[in-house]
Amino acid sequence: KNEVEQSPQNLTAQEGEFITINCSYSVGISALHWLQQHPGGGIVSLFMLSSGKKKHGRLIATINIQEKHSSLHITASHPRDSAVYICAVRGAGNQFYFGTGTSLTVIP
Amino acid sequence: DGGITQSPKYLFRKEGQNVTLSCEQNLNHDAMYWYRQDPGQGLRLIYYSQIVNDFQKGDIAEGYSVSREKKESFPLTVTSAQKNPTAFYLCACTGVDSGANVLTFGAGSRLTVL
């Protein structure tokens, strides 16, 4: 059983579309991270959330602690947004649990 | 700029050889982690260390070893006992920056067994 579930696994969008990636988790957490991984491997942290909503440019992340659910939204998607997006939660003792990732392809 | 440096980026190993992957951070973070990433799977924890001279096994520690002699360094050795070592290895660290807990990854090391 995975502590973190993401959906969808794969997503293809036309440039300009609004995109939503969902993350549900089953453990108690102190924070949730949205990560981005481009081909070639390095992972970058996009957001760290413990409540509410954060916005950075065209990216918006929300979290509902009661429902154990988070969403990552991309407005006006662009081909450079093509990447794997990974949801990670920080549990007790600085342990992290990771989703399997959502592979996003944005077509021009 | 602070960050994590992993080396080498690509590594080829013959069966039966041990190899060591380097992970160095200059963020002054206490906790460091090694993860393995295989296609279609989430990151799996190999080892982690919360403090110098202390480390704990993760979910898939068999065939791997680590040391934490300095705060900034957490090398991973892939031993010949690891049956399927071909994978992408990521080092990470976490700590407080400007009052917020941050999680930082290195660029990764891709190991291929020939």
Side-chain angles (χ1 to χ4, degrees):
Chain A
K1 178 186 178 297
N2 290 335
E3 291 84 356
V4 180
E5 300 281 354
Q6 278 185 245
S7 63
Q9 275 192 305
N10 297 285
L11 182 56
T12 300
Q14 292 284 78
E15 183 174 355
E17 283 187 8
F18 181 86
I19 288 162
T20 296
I21 300 170
N22 294 300
C23 174
S24 297
Y25 55 91
S26 58
V27 294
I29 70 168
S30 57
L32 182 144
H33 297 256
W34 279 104
L35 310 171
Q36 182 190 56
Q37 186 174 32
H38 279 283
I43 292 178
V44 174
S45 181
L46 298 173
F47 292 103
M48 192 276 290
L49 294 161
S50 54
S51 65
K53 177 179 173 178
K54 285 189 176 179
K55 184 175 188 291
H56 181 70
R58 295 179 295 105
L59 273 60
I60 302 166
T62 63
I63 188 169
N64 184 318
I65 298 293
Q66 287 72 32
E67 294 186 3
K68 295 189 173 181
H69 181 270
S70 176
S71 293
L72 176 68
H73 306 286
I74 304 175
T75 62
S77 59
H78 190 276
R80 65 175 174 267
D81 297 326
S82 298
V84 175
Y85 293 84
I86 301 169
C87 175
V89 299
R90 181 193 298 260
N94 262 346
Q95 286 293 313
F96 290 90
Y97 304 92
F98 297 86
T100 54
T102 296
S103 179
L104 171 65
T105 302
V106 181
I107 300 169
Chain B
D1 282 339
I4 295 182
T5 301
Q6 284 187 243
S7 62
K9 191 171 176 66
Y10 298 97
L11 185 60
F12 298 89
R13 186 192 95 174
K14 293 181 181 178
E15 285 196 22
Q17 285 182 333
N18 292 353
V19 294
T20 296
L21 308 180
S22 170
C23 177
E24 302 278 330
Q25 55 108 350
N26 61 2
L27 298 165
N28 199 34
H29 288 174
D30 286 313
M32 297 187 73
Y33 308 80
W34 274 105
Y35 294 98
R36 171 177 170 143
Q37 187 177 40
D38 295 284
Q41 297 193 40
L43 297 177
R44 292 187 290 167
L45 180 65
I46 305 172
Y47 269 97
Y48 67 101
S49 169
Q50 304 273 30
I51 197 168
V52 174
N53 292 323
D54 188 43
F55 47 83
Q56 287 77 42
K57 292 182 179 180
D59 301 318
I60 55 165
E62 185 176 350
Y64 300 97
S65 66
V66 293
S67 63
R68 187 85 186 276
E69 297 176 1
K70 299 185 294 183
K71 187 175 187 177
E72 58 269 27
S73 180
F74 191 40
L76 173 74
T77 297
V78 185
T79 76
S80 56
Q82 169 50 237
K83 298 304 178 193
N84 184 22
T86 294
F88 189 60
Y89 292 88
L90 284 155
C91 180
C93 67
T94 189
V96 177
D97 281 337
S98 303
N101 272 312
V102 296
L103 175 62
T104 306
F105 284 85
S109 294
R110 190 168 297 279
L111 173 63
T112 303
V113 173
L114 303 173

